[in-house]
Amino acid sequence: MNGNNIVFFCDTYGRAALISALTFLGTIQPDKTSLKEVIQLPWWRTMNNLPPGQLLEIGFGRKESRIFVIWLPGDKELLPRLAHSMSAAFSKNPEWLFIDALPRTNHWTGLARKLSLLMGNSLITHCLFLLGILKENRQNNKAKVAPRYSR
Amino acid sequence: MHIIYHCYGGAHSSVTAASIHLGLIAPHTVPSAREIQSLPDFDQPTEKEHGYLRLMGRDKKGNHIYVIGRRGLKNCFDTLVNSLVQNWGIPLDNLLIVDTVTCVNWVMMIGGYASRRLGWVALGRPLVTVGIQLAYHNFVHLVAQVQKQAQGAVTH
């Protein structure tokens, strides 16, 4: 596969990855979109059924780049390493860029993480995660770029 | 075909299984401590190397044998690798992913933790070596199953 594909990844059940991806695509504007609007996004049902480690294509960016989201239950920093070494091992040169959608945590996402350990993936943790991610994104205004592994 | 042996740190159980597969240690007799400790990368990888696929060699059938430390991604590792590979257009029947933690005993766990996590190599390495000797037949059995499974596959 050729093309500059972008993969947004996180360890928050895909929430941070999806919000960053939709921000990238222009569907969400961190400064303008409210928490209520984010909660009402039709994507959440799909995300709730997305198993960890499964790529989900959500759209096309500029120059027909494919945009993916993925979530991992932890150790998310291993994803770019794995992809880089696998592409080398399999002699593939996919032009993929991996972006950590939530490189930092705040009080809200921290609380959501702790609660999700106790009560699992629930509506409360969902809202707390979204609140924390939105606040974080508003502060950053754009996602941090993880190490790029191919051109 | 590509065969990936994976475990938590990619330092002990995956290295042992891959070494048996490649014929670096004989399957019929339990190897000595010296033989085990001289296996390539045995008890060496650190956290910085976790997540990187390492080629151990090619077996007699031409299959590529890899090891990797995938840390806490045990339950989603197959999904993750398959998902990436599928998007790169590689057929899934060209890939075999093998979790070697099923062969690990408590002695190996304690030894591995002491050596890799705590840095107590003098204590951990001999312990994990004894653990491998105790669990050796489990590794041999696992590798035999993998080789049988790989036999039917087409090598690319």
Side-chain angles (χ1 to χ4, degrees):
Chain A
M1 175 187 298
N2 293 315
N4 301 307
N5 299 320
I6 301 173
V7 180
F8 290 90
F9 65 96
C10 71
D11 56 358
T12 58
Y13 299 90
R15 295 184 180 95
L18 182 69
I19 290 175
S20 291
L22 293 178
T23 304
F24 180 83
L25 290 169
T27 312
I28 288 178
Q29 292 170 303
D31 296 333
K32 293 176 184 171
T33 310
S34 67
L35 176 63
K36 192 180 171 186
E37 287 170 316
V38 172
I39 290 171
Q40 288 172 343
L41 285 170
W43 280 97
W44 298 122
R45 186 170 289 177
T46 311
M47 292 307 292
N48 283 339
N49 293 322
L50 185 70
Q54 179 71 51
L55 284 163
L56 174 70
E57 187 172 350
I58 64 157
F60 289 89
R62 288 174 193 158
K63 295 179 184 174
E64 294 189 354
S65 60
R66 296 165 74 192
I67 310 298
F68 294 90
V69 294
I70 191 170
W71 73 276
L72 298 168
D75 296 316
K76 60 180 176 176
E77 68 275 14
L78 300 192
L79 175 63
R81 296 181 191 178
L82 176 67
H84 175 64
S85 56
M86 269 178 60
S87 64
F90 296 165
S91 305
K92 289 281 170 183
N93 187 25
E95 297 193 348
W96 284 28
L97 182 67
F98 285 85
I99 297 177
D100 186 350
L102 195 66
R104 290 188 310 174
T105 189
N106 58 28
H107 295 308
W108 298 105
T109 53
L111 179 63
R113 273 205 181 97
K114 281 170 189 153
L115 283 177
S116 64
L117 285 175
L118 293 171
M119 57 204 298
N121 192 10
S122 65
L123 182 63
I124 297 170
T125 57
H126 177 62
C127 295
L128 283 172
F129 267 128
L130 294 184
L131 180 63
I133 292 161
L134 274 183
K135 281 184 181 290
E136 193 63 33
N137 280 3
R138 276 172 193 156
Q139 273 190 347
N140 295 339
N141 214 12
K142 59 180 179 181
K144 297 273 190 287
V145 178
R148 193 173 172 166
Y149 81 87
S150 64
R151 279 180 292 121
Chain B
M1 188 174 199
H2 300 274
I3 301 171
I4 302 173
Y5 288 99
H6 66 91
C7 63
Y8 186 88
H12 307 114
S13 64
S14 57
V15 167
T16 304
S19 299
I20 295 169
H21 191 125
L22 290 167
L24 301 178
I25 36 178
H28 306 299
T29 51
V30 176
S32 67
R34 196 173 175 175
E35 280 178 295
I36 293 171
Q37 289 174 7
S38 60
L39 293 174
D41 281 349
F42 180 80
D43 199 37
Q44 295 298 326
T46 58
E47 280 197 3
K48 286 179 183 173
E49 284 139 283
H50 291 170
Y52 290 109
L53 207 61
R54 306 195 311 271
L55 180 67
M56 284 278 287
R58 294 181 77 162
D59 68 8
K60 289 172 185 170
K61 307 268 180 190
N63 299 311
H64 293 73
I65 311 299
Y66 303 91
V67 295
I68 188 169
R70 47 93 185 113
R71 250 189 255 166
L73 301 179
K74 178 182 168 69
N75 294 331
C76 67
F77 189 72
D78 287 24
T79 311
L80 176 58
V81 172
N82 288 337
S83 187
L84 287 169
V85 162
Q86 267 184 318
N87 276 285
W88 292 342
I90 297 169
L92 287 182
D93 56 7
N94 195 22
L95 182 68
L96 204 52
I97 304 163
V98 186
D99 184 4
T100 57
V101 174
T102 52
C103 302
V104 172
N105 55 29
W106 282 101
V107 184
M108 284 183 72
M109 275 188 203
I110 294 166
Y113 185 84
S115 175
R116 295 296 85 208
R117 181 62 71 90
L118 303 177
W120 300 348
V121 179
L123 172 74
R125 190 170 292 174
L127 258 182
V128 78
T129 306
V130 170
I132 288 169
Q133 289 172 321
L134 293 172
Y136 194 66
H137 293 297
N138 297 339
F139 283 105
V140 171
H141 182 66
L142 176 74
V143 172
Q145 282 182 317
V146 172
Q147 286 172 328
K148 200 175 175 183
Q149 209 174 331
Q151 250 178 359
V154 181
T155 303
H156 293 269

